[in-house]
Amino acid sequence: MLPSSTVENYLKAIYLGEGYLAEGQRLMPMGQLAAALGVAPGTATTMVKALAESGLVEYEPYNGVRLSAAGEKLAALVLRRHRLIELFLVRVMGLGWDEVHDEAEQLEHHVSDRLIERIDEMLGRPEVDPHGDPIPGADGRVARHESDTLLTCPLGERVTVTRVTDQEAPFLRFIEQHHLMPGESIEVEARDEVSDSVRLKGRGNQRMTIGMRAASKVRVSASDASSRG
Amino acid sequence: MLPSSTVENYLKAIYLGEGYLAEGQRLMPMGQLAAALGVAPGTATTMVKALAESGLVEYEPYNGVRLSAAGEKLAALVLRRHRLIELFLVRVMGLGWDEVHDEAEQLEHHVSDRLIERIDEMLGRPEVDPHGDPIPGADGRVARHESDTLLTCPLGERVTVTRVTDQEAPFLRFIEQHHLMPGESIEVEARDEVSDSVRLKGRGNQRMTIGMRAASKVRVSASDASSRG
DNA sequence: GACCAAATTTTGAATGTCCAAAATTAAAGC
DNA sequence: GCTTTAATTTTGGACATTCAAAATTTGGTC
Ligand SMILES: [Mn+2]
Ligand SMILES: [Mn+2]
Ligand SMILES: [Mn+2]
Ligand SMILES: [Mn+2]
């Protein structure tokens, strides 16, 4: 029995449920899962019990849910399809990076392995999608490397945007318009808790100030002198 | 309520149910519909009653089913997506014409209008798919022109293959290997009822003999002297 | 230790899709 | 006109997914 779209969406939501890093101890609360999927809490409970039956998750009543090894692999493969499709839509089909997420959300469940392999090949085995999110390999493995956000990176140093962790179209358009897309080199000049804002020096030393909530969604890494001029 | 994949498949099956040409009188028998969709007869009956409820088909118990105007338009749009996707997979993704049907069978239900428009544009508003099947317009209209098959075309005259009306991969591979794909110029030398076979002169005047059943699946039109050298 | 609020689970029910097997109808032959 | 047969519909039930509302559990708070 191959998994339905619904099952794939549940697994993906659990996989993406916050950090979920190293230690396999963290449980995703049912309420958070239900919210992520836009279903009633009771629906999530019923579904998760079924997923536990089929060995895709471990479920601790009143506590939360966690992916099993099998579930994690499946989730990673769905994510792989999602991100390859996004990149394909941007690079080959010429769609905007702000309009590919919804399309990929559907297609991720319906493209064959054959076609995904072809897409992967055509794109040159890419490692990240248009938003900088890493693309899991065909084996389900992901290269997770730590990175700062605009809230945590050092002040006064050039950094390179690596990832934008919010798929909302208006936010993505904002990022694009202000030249904060992955690959751009920028610098955090100052942060101010009181005004809840971060001041940036962007492309062409253009100054801009954004809120901390927005700043937390832009990930960066130290601008290695060797990369870019 | 946008139609489910199931509904779209039912409408498409009825649309494709044999000739279905001009006069809107023909009804598709329920048994044939059930067989086309691979479901039990009772399932088709139940479903068709629901489709009649929503005004997509007209249903005459014990007699059969026919598309309403609304149903026909919807079916044509599904077919449009199907055929554009097939052509896209062949031309852009480099898949074989024998392996795109199944993929399109899924994707036809899940690509957005936006993406289909982009595909149509990228392909230069094509009129036929890789098998020579006409692609309905965005308004649902199809250019239906009459054509012969290898069983009905004149003997001893050059004709051009326009269409292959069987999606089975082995058959398509046979056609490809024998250079009988759409665009090829060939000639029917003889037909023999007793041996149930048709003798052809193909590319490079290569002779071959195929069965009448197979011959009926290859459509041709008179080789206009102006087309091809 | 009783009590409250929030999170979670349970219950009862709906929808869409499907099947197998029984019942019915239509068509054809005699 | 009856009978046989093939096609079709009905019946009863399954499964996946969903919801709203009621019941329960949990983690604090006094
Ligand atoms: Mn999805
Ligand atoms: Mn992405
Ligand atoms: Mn289909
Ligand atoms: Mn085709």
Side-chain angles (χ1 to χ4, degrees), chain A residues 63-76:
Chain A
N63 232 346
V65 64
R66 158 182 45 239
L67 293 176
S68 70
E72 186 169 332
K73 171 147 192 193
L74 241 167

Side-chain angles (χ1 to χ4, degrees), chain A residues 30-31 45 49 59 62:
Chain A
M30 300 306 283
T45 299
K49 284 202 277 196
Y59 170 50
Y62 291 103

Side-chain angles (χ1 to χ4, degrees), chain B residues 97-99 168-179:
Chain B
W97 81 326
D98 59 317
E99 53 186 353
E168 290 300 310
F171 183 72
L172 293 176
R173 280 193 292 270
F174 171 87
I175 292 291
E176 187 168 11
Q177 274 153 20
H178 291 75
H179 307 295

